[in-house]
Amino acid sequence: MSFSFRSVLRFAPVVLLAAGASASASAAQETPEPVRIPEDSVPAQLQRYQELQTRVSSVQGQAMEASPELTERRAAIAELVEARSYDVDPGLREVIQTRMPELQRRVEVARAGGNTSVLRTVQAEFEALRERARTAEGRALELPDVASTIAGFEDDLLEAMTAYDPEVDSALEELRALSARLEITLGGD
């Protein structure tokens, strides 16, 4: 299996989930009864946020499906961000290509042998590699060429979404306001 930048960002959570599967299985058996939540409470705001996010994501998906040009641009942006991530962290590509296959082999052996200690060690290394990739991606996203390419794409995507669902703008505004309110309430970064 060949590993890429994106696989690093996706693979570590899979390892984490696999190691924690037994704990979550027992927790899933104890499902509490539904409780009526006041509309201004944090759980109600989180539920509304999730509803809005689902709606906006659906409209975005439909707009993307209707536009092969936007789909191609999104793929090109992903490639640009990956390439520029390697530019800001030149050793990252080699680490991903050499270390990831070894870590995957160690996970397979540890799973087969039920060795949770090795799984935890590998998870820590995956997380460190994932964090390094995220940091490089964050720095790449701040580069002027990347930022302007993304901004142009987002403008065109919003236009396509609005053409598909004229009320998506109001959903996005509510989503932004709710996000800001939740960040203050929950003490976000």
Side-chain angles (χ1 to χ4, degrees), residues 72-172:
E72 289 172 14
R73 285 176 59 195
R74 180 177 59 187
I77 288 171
E79 290 173 11
L80 173 65
V81 170
E82 183 174 345
R84 299 296 275 146
S85 295
Y86 293 138
D87 291 344
V88 299
D89 185 345
L92 182 60
R93 180 187 315 262
E94 183 179 344
V95 169
I96 289 171
Q97 291 175 346
T98 60
R99 196 67 190 130
M100 287 295 289
E102 173 60 26
L103 292 174
Q104 184 180 20
R105 280 189 293 281
R106 288 181 62 196
V107 164
E108 291 167 1
V109 169
R111 278 187 189 151
N115 192 335
T116 58
S117 174
V118 170
L119 281 174
R120 281 192 296 272
T121 301
V122 172
Q123 287 171 9
E125 192 169 342
F126 271 127
E127 278 304 313
L129 185 54
R130 187 173 181 207
E131 185 58 35
R132 180 175 173 182
R134 281 185 176 160
T135 299
E137 180 181 47
R139 290 176 50 208
L141 290 170
E142 294 173 357
L143 296 172
D145 62 321
V146 175
S148 67
T149 301
I150 291 172
F153 171 78
E154 288 174 344
D155 290 345
D156 294 345
L157 176 58
L158 181 57
E159 185 179 316
M161 290 169 64
T162 303
Y164 192 84
D165 178 356
E167 296 186 19
V168 76
D169 267 341
S170 63
L172 282 167

Side-chain angles (χ1 to χ4, degrees), residues 22-58:
S22 60
S24 62
S26 62
Q29 294 172 356
E30 302 171 13
T31 306
E33 292 293 318
V35 177
R36 181 164 167 8
I37 302 170
E39 287 184 26
D40 62 340
S41 70
V42 170
Q45 290 178 36
L46 288 170
Q47 180 178 353
R48 178 64 180 154
Y49 182 90
Q50 186 175 21
E51 291 167 1
L52 289 167
Q53 192 171 37
T54 299
R55 177 177 170 210
V56 169
S57 292
S58 174

